[in-house]
Amino acid sequence: MPWTPRLREAGPGRPADHADHTDHAELMQQVARGDKQAFSALYDALAPMVFGIVVKVVRDRAQSEEVAQEVMIDLWRQAARFRPEAGSVTTWASTIAHRRAVDRVRSAQAAADREQAQAAREHRTAFDEVAEEVETRLASEQVRRCLRGLTELQRQAVTLAYFGGLTYREVAQTLRTPLPTVKTRMRDGLIRLRDCMGVTA
């Protein structure tokens, strides 16, 4: 199992153990060969800068410390990929730090967006259920109010046919009323209901 550096808390202003700041490129080459002491020296030289870049993007200190540690681990693991001709170690570390910081912010924003979307869906579902219930109750109230505007025979005939599921003939038998009379009263009652409820077709 490859050695993983045990990182110290990152933070601005951490004193360096190597005051002479050994050339970063040379240190990186040594780190690429697995030199732990070289990595410790590189860590002390770069960690404050890395943390400073990260905290400017992430803002939150605790999260910034986590991201800074991740950046330093990246430097350890990717040391062999460093190419001096492509730029300085400082520039490379700065690029990784900024990318990591931006990724953390985007990840946090995506999580917040998902939570907000879920909350919105739950709110909308609850609202729709309430609205449907209110609409049903209002419609029922309107039907009852309109039924009260019919004659007794019209109301009984319509109720038995459309709410009781009876045929015209069964309604006539139930009400002991001639079938033609039931049909006429039901037709007139439905017209009045349609007008009362504002149905245009």
Side-chain angles (χ1 to χ4, degrees):
M1 180 177 180
W3 177 76
T4 300
R6 186 182 298 277
L7 301 182
R8 299 173 289 277
E9 179 180 348
R14 179 181 174 81
D17 296 330
H18 298 261
D20 57 352
H21 290 286
T22 306
D23 181 72
H24 294 164
E26 182 180 341
L27 280 176
M28 187 62 75
Q29 291 174 359
Q30 295 172 10
V31 171
R33 293 193 293 270
D35 190 325
K36 302 173 186 178
Q37 293 299 322
F39 179 77
S40 293
L42 192 69
Y43 182 98
D44 289 337
L46 298 181
M49 177 202 71
V50 167
F51 179 85
I53 292 172
V54 172
V55 78
K56 286 181 180 179
V57 177
V58 178
R59 303 292 183 181
D60 179 83
R61 181 180 178 84
Q63 290 195 53
S64 296
E65 290 175 353
E66 291 179 6
V67 174
Q69 303 289 43
E70 292 171 1
V71 172
M72 298 311 297
I73 291 176
D74 282 346
L75 293 178
W76 165 260
R77 292 175 175 170
Q78 301 178 34
R81 297 173 55 187
F82 172 70
R83 297 291 180 268
E85 62 273 15
S88 68
V89 174
T90 301
T91 300
W92 192 46
S94 299
T95 300
I96 294 175
H98 187 266
R99 185 173 65 245
R100 278 276 191 175
V102 170
D103 287 347
R104 175 61 66 94
V105 171
R106 287 175 177 170
S107 177
Q109 184 60 51
D113 289 344
R114 285 194 298 272
E115 291 179 1
Q116 185 175 5
Q118 178 62 28
R121 284 194 296 272
E122 292 175 355
H123 175 75
R124 187 164 55 249
T125 299
F127 176 81
D128 289 345
E129 289 175 353
V130 172
E132 183 178 352
E133 177 67 18
V134 170
E135 184 177 352
T136 299
R137 291 187 178 184
L138 287 176
S140 298
E141 287 294 335
Q142 186 179 22
V143 169
R144 284 194 290 270
R145 177 175 57 81
C146 290
L147 281 173
R148 287 196 292 269
L150 304 181
T151 66
E152 182 66 22
L153 182 57
Q154 288 173 339
R155 182 167 60 252
Q156 289 178 338
V158 169
T159 300
L160 289 172
Y162 289 91
F163 298 101
L166 302 185
T167 64
Y168 285 170
R169 187 172 299 280
E170 290 172 336
V171 170
Q173 292 173 350
T174 300
L175 298 179
R176 296 181 180 179
T177 303
L179 182 58
T181 302
V182 166
K183 289 183 176 181
T184 300
R185 297 295 183 269
M186 193 175 297
R187 182 198 63 200
D188 294 343
L190 288 176
I191 290 174
R192 295 182 65 174
L193 273 179
R194 182 196 63 189
D195 294 343
C196 177
M197 298 184 68
V199 178
T200 59

